[in-house]
Amino acid sequence: MAGAGTLSAAPAARGGLPPLLRRLLQVVPVLFGIATLNFLILQLAPGDVVDVLAGEAGAATPETMAALRQSFGLDQPVWLQYLRYLGQLASLDLGHSYRLNLPVRALILTRLPPTLLLMVSALLLAIVLGSLAGILAARQVGGWLDTLLSGVTLLSYAVPTFWLGLMAIVLFSARLGWLPSGGMLTIGASHDGLALLQDLAAHLVLPAVTLSTFYLAVYARLVRSAMLELHGADFIRTARAKGAGEWRITLHHAFRNALLPMVTMAGYQAASLLSGAVLVETVFSWPGLGRLAYEAIRTRDLNLLLGILFFSSILVVIVNIAIDGVYRLVDPRVAPRARRA
Amino acid sequence: MSTRHPGLLRRLLTHRQGGAGLLLLLAILLLAAAGPLLWPGDPWEMAAPPMLWPGEDAANPLGSDVMGRDLLTGLVSGARVSLMVGLVSTLIAAVLGTLIGAVGGYHGGRIDAALMRLTELFQTVPTFVLAVVLVAVFRPSVATAVLAIGIVSWPATARLVRAQVLSLRGRDFILAAETYGMGTARLLWTQILPNALPPVIAISSLTIAHAIQTEAALAFLGLGDPNVMSWGTIIGGGREQLVEAWYVCGLSGIALVVTVLAFNLLGEGLNDCLNPHLRSQ
């Protein structure tokens, strides 16, 4: 399944724009599409826009409702409302949460760092442990490790992350008492320096491992097949003929090339990783965007939910741009023509 | 299907993964169909003392939850919900995806470019968050869950069908039909789609698996139909007493894993049996 044309690795540097700027310009239609999607949802929702944004939350006074109707211009034609909505989103004004009585943008921005921490930790875990498992499995096809890996992979595709998280809490927090069952920091404990980091790390282990399991299996399988494909390659045979050791061949020659499909895969998975984070954060009360979404569901704060949808889509786009950059680092062949000139 | 692909069932059964998936799926179907006859009762009704462990009382073989509701009755109800939501939402996704992919791939040019932009958009948006927003805005019910999951699940099918159509587009028999003067709609319907369909069937099995997981996740977050007991609902409710009665979440999760596994295995099997040439790659 090819993902969004995220890795437009085509070195067509027409116009001579720097690659980053060119990439940023490609983002505009995507954002436009997401904004349109949000507007469509609002239009099709039962009741009028203001009912959805404020009424559902049940926290807005009739006066604010009337003022909102005025500001949305509900008496005006739909296309004018649409333009107004686009203008608001373009200035990154995501509206107001009437439940929490705070601007949606501020709410989202304060919850962003924990989500990023969780996603990056999970991705790193998946890449490091997945590569290791894939390399080891490829060294002995059909061996016990290889068989174990294919079994675990099969299972991890079927296990829902939120359930895995719950079971991990039962085992590792309740029964064994090794790790805290939720939150990001111990409440009431005023740690500082190293103790604070330790506390954070202890709270991070279970959510990060839970979120990473699925991707770990994906990367392990990917690295395994990439390594096997490279097995008979000419440059590997050359390295062996030169007398390079098996481990040096594996790591220095083969694995470096196996990195490419892995980076591509990471780009495709940015959106799914964010979806997974919503569920994992809910299970572990991790105070990030996902937990915020869960609170918004509970209180039927629909404007906040729409804001999270819009913002998390932007986040996926940004991650994709970053991964494009990583791809250029890993594979110099993708460097744009502009640099060669 | 077995008439058009003679021996497909036999090939599936001899395929290690496909056969296992098929057998697991039969067991789940049997449970969903016969369950209400064997263990009748309302899954919402209090039928036992609360938090009865599995095996403690033969009347409630799998025990009861915090509210004293029989877990086995709940699991049977969940099986029916999961299968129904999985099948119907995948049907929606398959129809949408096939339509969008076939039209784009056949027409090319601007229509194709516009449809591909749409597909990319749906692959950029975190699909689960979109499903959450759709269900929350349009009120949680089985119908909104099915529609929301269908709406977020079509892009993979669309890309697949588009690629298939593009590769079929230049084949001799298609050119022959065009030379004949066959209209676009008829050409797509009678010549291209039947040849593009087998991989769609294989990918649909995987889509069902994912749809079942999504439904469970929605219900777990409290976005399930308030009148329907699904596995996600049971897991969400069991969270309150997670440590004391972990079997409530545990057993419904295992049911979920087995069902998703069955569809994944079946999808692998179908993929191998329907496109043997793809396997050699």
Side-chain angles (χ1 to χ4, degrees):
Chain A
M1 274 161 276
T6 45
L7 291 162
S8 41
R14 267 174 294 165
L17 281 173
L20 186 66
L21 192 63
R22 201 154 22 89
R23 200 66 187 79
L24 280 175
L25 281 179
Q26 286 170 7
V27 167
V28 174
V30 178
L31 294 187
F32 182 75
I34 297 162
T36 308
L37 195 67
N38 266 8
F39 184 76
L40 259 176
I41 293 172
L42 279 175
Q43 285 295 316
L44 294 174
D48 70 15
V49 178
V50 174
D51 282 328
V52 176
L53 292 191
E56 284 274 2
T61 59
E63 290 78 40
T64 33
M65 299 272 280
L68 261 178
R69 287 211 165 78
Q70 186 85 37
S71 78
F72 269 97
L74 288 188
D75 46 345
Q76 285 164 344
V78 175
W79 62 268
L80 212 64
Q81 295 179 37
Y82 176 54
L83 287 182
R84 198 188 284 252
Y85 187 73
L86 284 187
Q88 272 183 3
L89 288 187
S91 57
L92 280 182
D93 174 8
L94 298 177
H96 200 78
S97 159
Y98 291 91
R99 267 290 181 207
L100 300 166
N101 208 13
L102 280 168
V104 168
R105 187 181 51 187
L107 274 168
I108 288 176
L109 287 179
T110 52
R111 298 296 195 99
L112 182 62
T115 297
L116 285 182
L117 177 65
L118 178 63
M119 280 173 63
V120 170
S121 322
L123 198 62
L124 283 180
L125 261 178
I127 288 177
V128 172
L129 294 181
S131 315
L132 202 66
I135 290 174
L136 290 175
R139 278 178 75 86
Q140 211 178 7
V141 178
W144 66 269
L145 196 70
D146 195 26
T147 316
L148 181 73
L149 178 68
S150 56
V152 169
T153 308
L154 204 61
L155 208 59
S156 80
Y157 284 173
V159 173
T161 39
F162 64 94
W163 182 73
L164 190 66
L166 290 174
M167 293 298 111
I169 290 178
V170 171
L171 183 61
F172 295 106
S173 320
R175 291 273 177 275
L176 299 173
W178 288 352
L179 292 161
S181 66
M184 194 162 82
L185 294 166
T186 309
I187 299 165
S190 48
H191 296 301
D192 53 313
L194 203 62
L196 183 80
L197 270 181
Q198 252 174 8
D199 193 35
L200 181 66
H203 282 84
L204 181 61
V205 172
L206 279 186
V209 171
T210 304
L211 183 58
S212 75
T213 321
F214 172 80
Y215 304 97
L216 202 158
V218 172
Y219 290 136
R221 231 169 118 149
L222 203 67
V223 169
R224 177 186 176 276
S225 63
M227 297 293 282
L228 288 180
E229 238 167 68
L230 290 167
H231 208 64
D234 289 341
F235 68 94
I236 300 287
R237 209 176 318 149
T238 311
R240 194 164 285 137
K242 282 198 308 186
E246 270 315 298
W247 273 111
R248 188 179 156 78
I249 293 173
T250 305
L251 291 180
H252 193 74
H253 296 272
F255 179 60
R256 274 172 62 170
N257 284 283
L259 270 174
L260 290 179
M262 211 152 72
V263 175
T264 312
M265 187 62 103
Y268 294 153
Q269 284 173 339
S272 110
L273 198 62
L274 226 150
S275 291
V278 172
L279 287 162
V280 169
E281 286 181 9
T282 304
V283 170
F284 290 99
S285 313
W286 186 260
L289 275 184
R291 182 73 195 180
L292 187 66
Y294 179 64
E295 286 156 15
I297 293 169
R298 297 237 99 159
T299 54
R300 298 201 55 75
D301 194 338
L302 296 178
N303 192 36
L304 182 52
L305 263 185
L306 279 169
I308 293 172
L309 177 64
F310 183 70
F311 189 83
S312 52
S313 309
I314 296 180
L315 200 61
V316 171
V317 175
I318 294 173
V319 169
N320 279 329
I321 294 176
I323 284 177
D324 257 11
V326 172
Y327 205 89
R328 287 207 172 80
L329 274 181
V330 178
D331 187 358
R333 286 171 301 183
V334 192
R337 206 194 310 171
R339 204 183 291 167
R340 267 192 279 153
Chain B
M1 193 158 57
S2 54
T3 49
R4 242 194 308 131
H5 305 280
L8 175 65
L9 197 66
R10 180 168 302 171
R11 263 185 295 164
L12 256 183
L13 277 174
T14 51
H15 186 275
R16 200 155 60 109
Q17 289 163 328
L22 208 59
L23 288 182
L24 274 179
L25 194 59
L26 275 180
I28 298 156
L29 277 174
L30 202 68
L31 181 75
L37 304 173
L38 293 173
W39 306 285
D42 182 355
W44 295 93
E45 197 177 278
M46 197 178 145
M51 290 180 24
L52 193 68
W53 272 73
E56 255 187 293
D57 187 346
N60 309 90
L62 293 185
S64 68
D65 70 358
V66 193
M67 314 274 279
R69 296 175 295 209
D70 183 53
L71 193 55
L72 184 57
T73 319
L75 288 186
V76 169
S77 158
R80 298 168 77 92
V81 176
S82 286
L83 291 177
M84 204 277 278
V85 170
L87 288 172
V88 181
S89 58
T90 300
L91 193 69
I92 295 174
V95 170
L96 270 177
T98 307
L99 207 68
I100 290 171
V103 169
Y106 187 80
H107 276 287
R110 279 216 187 131
I111 296 178
D112 185 34
L115 289 177
M116 281 315 285
R117 283 293 98 74
L118 188 70
T119 314
E120 278 170 17
L121 178 67
F122 272 83
Q123 287 186 314
T124 307
V125 175
T127 45
F128 182 66
V129 182
L130 179 58
V132 162
V133 168
L134 286 174
V135 173
V137 169
F138 296 99
R139 313 275 158 78
S141 73
V142 169
T144 49
V146 164
L147 273 174
I149 297 172
I151 287 173
V152 302
S153 309
W154 59 266
T157 312
R159 278 182 178 272
L160 183 77
V161 171
R162 178 174 175 272
Q164 286 283 111
V165 171
L166 279 178
S167 79
L168 286 169
R169 186 90 181 71
R171 299 274 182 87
D172 288 343
F173 73 98
I174 300 293
L175 295 179
E178 262 177 351
T179 324
Y180 249 43
M182 196 180 268
T184 309
R186 182 136 180 256
L187 188 78
L188 268 175
W189 186 249
T190 63
Q191 306 298 313
I192 293 187
L193 280 186
N195 286 295
L197 220 52
V200 173
I201 293 170
I203 204 178
S204 287
S205 187
L206 302 179
T207 311
I208 294 177
H210 199 243
I212 288 175
Q213 277 190 333
T214 309
E215 189 278 331
L218 284 171
F220 169 72
L221 290 182
L223 288 171
D225 192 319
N227 302 311
V228 171
M229 180 77 81
S230 93
W231 290 333
T233 320
I234 303 176
I235 298 177
R239 234 185 118 184
E240 307 290 321
Q241 305 290 331
L242 178 61
V243 177
E244 296 88 339
W246 60 267
Y247 61 89
V248 175
C249 289
L251 290 176
S252 12
I254 289 171
L256 193 57
V257 170
V258 171
T259 310
V260 173
L261 191 65
F263 280 108
N264 277 343
L265 289 171
L266 185 67
E268 296 252 327
L270 282 171
N271 201 30
D272 288 357
C273 295
L274 290 172
N275 336 292
H277 56 282
L278 275 183
R279 200 59 201 164
S280 57
Q281 279 179 5

